[in-house]
Amino acid sequence: MLIKNSINNLGTEKAFKLLSDANELIAKGKDIINLGIGQPDFRTPKHIVEAGIKALKDGKHGYTNSIGLPLLREKISNNLFLRHKAKIETGRIVVLPGGKPTIFFTLLLLGKKKSEIIYPDPGFPIYESLINYCGAKPVPYKLKEKNNFNYKASDILSKISNKTNLIIINNPSNPTGSIFEKIEVLKLINGLKEFPNVSILSDEIYSEMLYQKKHESFLSYPELKERLIYLDGFSKTYSMTGWRIGYSVWPKKLIPYVEKLCINNHSCVNTISQYAAMAALDGPFEEKINMMNEFSKRRENVIKKINEFQCLSCQYPSGAFYAFANVKKTNFSSDEMQNKILNEAGVALLSGRSFGNNGEGFLRISFANNHKNLNKAFKRIKTIID
Ligand code: PLP
């Protein structure tokens, strides 16, 4: 068998490996508390589940339009207007099986060999993985702890060269929970006037998971219309990770290519999830609001608990549901800390190195677990580090 070389450039998301390692330990009878996971630990709201069941019962289980049901795309368009004051034609909206395919398709379209792609480090590992897979050159920009990991336009603009084809942004960020504040968004857009051929992929999958601060979406800027790919979805906001449904907004000229990619790859998103997604957008929103209120309380508790350790420190994330804790004073590397905490304390969390070289010295702690388990996890960690 002769396998293509490029497949060796593909990376991975270590959260999935950690999940299987943790499950293996659980199967062997170990009591593991999982704080490594990137999915809300809440049930999908009842009315959404019921809409999925109803779709099945009503016989709505065939293929749909490859880029998504027109009515769902209309509802997404209305939702984007409410959230970001963006008037988006339904023809530019593509429904996809989760958020990840948008990253993949963007890189298939724009990851030209030897072009440069700028992306956040620490950041979601799939960006770097797919940049490498496509044969483009990964150019990381650092999210700095001294700025609470928030984005600085100048850090991004300074990385642009005549080979830059794409800038990737993730706002709010996984793993840091940091954001792109309006003043910096404006500076970036202003700076990009000089580089009309540089596109943006703005991954805003956590844009409805916010604490206090307002979210500034790149979609709110019509001047970016011809060069912005906006990624969003249902996985996190509505606790629907396993339903596999997300969506993106594309420049009009890319839609025929994206449509072909959909037809070649998955034909369409499963119909049941599309009906469920419509119910998600229709509301009621009580369960979604309750989930965020609960995350907010956990955030307070988790950050307080981390800062009680002599050798750990952590800033408050502005969004998402992760704490990015500084572990440099422990004198262990991030990977060593991750393994030590898993094997000696029975707590699964992720080494900052899973998110790039600049993640060294940090651990990502997900608060997608209940208060009882979170408290128990910190008590256990306390027995092995101070
Ligand atoms: N983008 C970011 C920043 C994420 O953290 C994730 C999931 O963890 C995704 C995209 C992918 O989401 P989905 O599960 O909908 O594919």
Side-chain angles (χ1 to χ4, degrees), residues 29-162:
K30 273 216 165 191
D31 175 18
I32 304 291
I33 302 172
N34 195 345
L35 307 185
I37 195 77
Q39 66 178 343
D41 55 314
F42 294 83
R43 301 285 291 260
T44 302
K46 249 194 240 94
H47 75 284
I48 301 178
V49 175
E50 274 156 19
I53 295 170
K54 183 171 182 320
L56 264 180
K57 285 195 174 154
D58 290 350
K60 288 168 176 158
H61 45 60
Y63 291 127
T64 70
N65 187 329
S66 66
I67 63 170
L69 286 165
L71 186 57
L72 171 57
R73 286 186 287 126
E74 202 177 304
K75 286 180 191 289
I76 292 170
S77 172
N78 292 340
N79 180 269
L80 292 173
F81 183 72
L82 284 178
R83 289 199 288 131
H84 306 314
K85 302 275 168 296
K87 282 191 186 160
I88 308 295
E89 310 91 288
T90 54
R92 290 175 56 214
I93 297 170
V94 179
V95 178
L96 286 155
K100 274 182 181 162
T102 294
I103 307 172
F104 204 175
F105 288 1
T106 301
L107 270 303
L108 286 179
L109 286 162
L110 300 176
K112 286 164 82 143
K113 280 214 164 64
K114 299 201 173 105
S115 68
E116 294 183 0
I117 297 183
I118 301 176
Y119 70 101
D121 178 357
F124 189 47
I126 298 305
Y127 307 140
E128 187 184 355
S129 160
L130 289 171
I131 296 168
N132 283 326
Y133 175 66
C134 293
K137 183 177 168 202
V139 179
Y141 59 90
K142 188 171 180 177
L143 296 181
K144 298 172 187 151
E145 190 184 26
K146 69 169 188 199
N147 301 327
N148 202 5
F149 298 105
N150 286 343
Y151 290 77
K152 287 281 164 220
S154 54
D155 290 341
I156 300 176
L157 291 167
S158 68
K159 299 281 177 184
I160 297 182
S161 78
N162 56 6

